[in-house]
Amino acid sequence: MAPAPDTADDDASPRLTWAEDGAPRSGRFGDVYFSADDGLAESRAVFLQGCGLPQAWAGHATFTVAELGFGTGLNILALLDLWRREGPGNARLHVFTVERFPLSRDEAARALAAWPELADISSVLLDRWPAGDPGVHRIDLPGFNAVIDVAVGEVVDVLSAWTGRADAWFLDGFSPALNPGMWSEPVLDLVAARSAPGARLATFTVAGFVRRGLTQRGFRVDKRPGHGRKRERLEAVRRPTVAVIGAGIAGASVARALFEAGSAVTVIEADRPGAGGSGFPAALVTPRLDAGDVGIASFHAQALDRAGALYSAVPDAIVAEGVVQLHQTDRDTARFDKIAVQTWWSPGAMTVIDVAEATARLGERTGTGGLLMAGALAVAPAPILSAWLEGTRRVSGTVAAITPGESGGWSLTDPDGVVIAEVDSVVITAGWGAAALAPDLDLRPVRGQANWVEGVTVPAVAWGGYAAPTAEGLLFGATHDRDDTTTDVRPADTDRNVQTLAARLPDLAAAVTDRPIQARAAVRATTRDRLPVCGAVPGRPGLLVLTGLGSRGFCVAPLLGEHVAALITGAASPLADDMAERFAPGRFADKRA
């Protein structure tokens, strides 16, 4: 069982006693090994039925059961009995069971004598009963096409050393109140890390901290009617585990979609949500306007529609609806005319406006007309990130390496080589930070500094520069400096942003310069072809990316996040196949070849 209390007589004995009804009892922990009502029926109800057996092993060539608390071996006898009757043909059963204070063979024989219907199996197990010395003791059972590894030692040490992945868990330590070491946070961490996708878990306890601990580690936990005097028991199923690296809009979009699909999501962020390009007080949600590339133009229409629907469900997310895109060159007049009549826009979504209409909307003469994008938005990033990261497990740290796990999946380590997480799948959404983890993506850094003031308002407008309303005022900018990865605030860049604003909206610029101006800089990730990088990394199953969003992250990330989640969960993607191919990470390798 679990580690013993710290006493002078700290040996490996369970200090066995026997109740009047013949049931064995641990003198060390003051608890029974099995129910006096009917221990075998309890094992079958709590553990076999609780793990969905025999149905759960259908189709498995090898099925692995891990148990915490070998005790008398009764659970394993019940398992072997079911396996020999209803196990898949030619399949192999592997049992890994942990015990800190093992019973002797004679003690086990006395306890198991209560179940004569299992006498033939008991005799086989007892003939091979392991010694009590520390280490892993293997019991081959060729007649059952099974093998049992009995690990004697501290539960954390034993599970840390084990490289297997369990399809089912029997958590059968003594009561958490009497034996808390068996139910500790490190133990639950290891149970999660050593679980195969879809693993089932069963236990007699319904203690709140156990339920919460399993839920936080990716298990869907349900209470079920108990057995005998126990009113309730627990069943749990391990959801697919995914680590999302980065907590900006790309990471939050992936996390939201995965969480809603039933995956267990761990979000790893070195600093805080929105520490990178998603950390400004406002963001424009605008599509890429393309009069020639039908695929890209229609994709952005779909992305804008999806983003608007999702943001409208987040309280305080939408600051303003509608964005004016002013002409930047004379060619924009004809280009906007073509865009306004593209068939993928809903009626009224794109409206060409003249100088008078633009002036009326913006409150000062603009000098040009433009395009009113009715579905485009100004949003507040903070409430969006907060809402979409809710329900995920959050870990602070810097991922320095992503390597295949010893038992499948992926292992994420920090710069010191310490494991941050072990998961089935990984999604890199770290913006420019993705370049270090996936150098083959051909990402390019672009530094951008933006400024904001309070007490000045204007409708959302873009023209090369932009001005976006915030909850308290106005955000404007932004600089665009390629191959610059620094994020220091530069007074010269603030001056550039003010000059850019003044060149198009001089009255607004004058109002801005009368107030304290705040500033922040971040690094965007872009690509040579100006398209996002989204999908599975070739040759590395379970490793995916969503990056290279440039300045369109708040428009395209929600839809692309759902595409990534679909690739992981096997659900239908909202993205057309041809678009998925255009965004796929493998396109860079294809071009180099």
Side-chain angles (χ1 to χ4, degrees):
M1 295 288 175
D6 188 13
T7 67
D9 183 22
D10 187 17
D11 54 29
S13 169
R15 304 174 190 168
L16 206 64
T17 61
W18 300 90
E20 292 183 1
D21 61 1
R25 186 178 186 89
S26 170
R28 184 178 290 274
F29 292 105
D31 203 355
V32 295
Y33 280 87
F34 48 70
S35 168
D37 296 332
D38 188 347
L40 179 57
E42 181 180 58
S43 289
R44 287 169 171 163
V46 174
F47 298 108
L48 302 187
Q49 179 183 330
C51 285
L53 301 175
Q55 295 82 4
W57 58 43
H60 284 259
T62 301
F63 193 80
T64 300
V65 176
E67 178 186 49
L68 303 189
F70 180 53
T72 65
L74 181 59
N75 293 335
I76 304 308
L77 290 187
L79 175 66
L80 290 171
D81 177 51
L82 182 63
W83 179 259
R84 70 174 174 178
R85 290 185 285 109
E86 301 189 47
N90 300 319
R92 184 168 178 79
L93 177 67
H94 182 199
V95 177
F96 182 82
T97 179
V98 182
E99 180 59 64
R100 173 66 177 89
F101 302 106
L103 276 66
S104 69
R105 181 199 177 283
D106 291 342
E107 290 170 332
R110 179 176 173 181
L112 297 175
W115 322 113
E117 62 268 45
L118 297 181
D120 58 332
I121 307 177
S122 299
S123 64
V124 173
L125 181 61
L126 291 168
D127 286 347
R128 297 163 175 80
W129 195 258
D133 51 300
V136 178
H137 305 269
R138 172 153 289 192
I139 302 172
D140 286 310
L141 300 173
F144 293 86
N145 206 15
V147 63
I148 302 173
D149 287 328
V150 181
V152 178
E154 299 281 2
V155 62
V156 170
D157 295 340
V158 167
L159 288 181
S160 296
W162 187 47
T163 59
R165 301 188 93 187
D167 300 298
W169 285 91
F170 299 169
L171 301 192
D172 196 22
F174 289 124
S175 163
L178 301 173
N179 186 17
M182 186 65 94
W183 309 91
S184 68
E185 296 282 327
V187 170
L188 296 182
D189 284 341
L190 287 163
V191 167
R194 302 294 185 262
S195 293
R200 305 289 293 268
L201 180 149
T203 182
F204 61 87
T205 184
V206 293
F209 79 91
V210 174
R211 298 198 313 271
R212 291 189 296 273
L214 291 172
T215 299
Q216 291 168 356
R217 288 161 178 82
F219 287 87
R220 187 185 70 243
V221 180
D222 296 300
K223 289 184 181 180
R224 298 290 187 226
H227 177 82
R229 300 176 186 177
K230 292 284 293 182
R231 292 179 54 192
E232 295 175 307
R233 58 183 175 84
L234 289 187
E235 293 180 7
V237 178
R238 182 181 180 272
R239 299 173 288 162
T241 57
V242 186
V244 177
I245 304 173
I249 188 58
S253 295
V254 171
R256 182 204 65 79
L258 284 168
F259 183 77
E260 291 196 357
S263 297
V265 184
T266 297
V267 177
I268 304 171
E269 172 61 55
D271 190 347
R272 55 181 172 75
S278 302
F280 292 91
L284 287 183
V285 185
T286 57
R288 173 173 160 180
L289 302 174
D290 201 311
D293 192 323
V294 171
I296 293 302
S298 60
F299 160 73
H300 277 85
Q302 179 190 8
L304 178 63
D305 182 68
R306 186 58 178 149
L310 291 172
Y311 294 150
S312 65
V314 178
D316 303 319
I318 297 178
V319 179
E321 297 183 32
V323 178
V324 174
Q325 178 69 50
L326 296 174
H327 295 152
Q328 291 182 252
T329 69
D330 293 339
R331 290 180 299 175
D332 282 339
T333 301
R335 191 167 70 93
F336 286 179
D337 287 342
K338 292 180 180 179
I339 290 168
V341 297
Q342 289 172 331
T343 56
W344 39 82
W345 300 112
S346 59
M350 295 288 171
T351 304
V352 173
I353 58 177
D354 58 20
V355 175
E357 291 170 310
T359 298
R361 184 172 181 87
L362 298 176
E364 67 171 292
R365 184 167 179 80
T366 62
T368 70
L371 191 66
L372 174 59
M373 303 179 287
L377 305 167
V379 298
I384 295 170
L385 300 185
S386 177
W388 289 4
L389 294 173
E390 187 175 352
T392 66
R393 187 183 183 202
R394 305 266 286 282
V395 175
S396 178
T398 298
V399 177
I402 304 171
T403 55
E406 293 182 355
S407 52
W410 296 93
S411 179
L412 282 63
T413 52
D414 69 10
D416 296 323
V418 177
V419 175
I420 299 174
E422 293 180 330
V423 292
D424 301 321
S425 302
V426 177
V427 187
I428 304 172
T429 65
W432 170 241
L437 296 172
D440 292 339
L441 297 181
D442 196 27
L443 295 176
R444 312 290 178 84
V446 177
R447 179 187 185 276
Q449 180 171 310
N451 297 92
W452 64 95
V453 297
E454 297 181 0
V456 177
T457 59
V458 69
V461 56
W463 64 91
Y466 67 84
T470 69
E472 293 82 22
L474 173 73
L475 177 78
F476 64 98
T479 60
H480 190 92
D481 297 318
R482 297 185 182 277
D483 300 321
D484 189 339
T485 60
T486 60
T487 57
D488 57 307
V489 171
R490 303 170 185 172
D493 285 357
T494 295
D495 292 340
R496 287 166 59 192
N497 285 333
V498 171
Q499 291 166 10
T500 299
L501 186 63
R504 185 53 64 97
L505 300 170
D507 292 347
L508 183 61
V512 162
T513 54
D514 286 340
R515 297 175 181 273
I517 300 178
Q518 301 182 64
R520 182 176 182 272
V523 180
R524 311 179 190 98
T526 65
T527 60
R528 186 189 301 273
D529 58 12
R530 298 175 57 219
L531 298 181
V533 187
C534 178
V537 176
R540 306 188 75 184
L543 180 63
L544 302 94
V545 296
L546 175 55
T547 185
L549 306 184
S551 59
R552 306 289 179 192
F554 278 86
C555 179
V556 302
L559 180 64
L560 294 180
E562 292 181 327
H563 173 63
V564 170
L567 293 177
I568 292 172
T569 63
S573 171
L575 206 60
D577 287 347
D578 58 343
M579 282 296 98
E581 291 178 5
R582 291 189 68 175
F583 300 152
R587 72 183 191 266
F588 302 109
D590 294 342
K591 289 179 180 178
R592 284 193 295 273

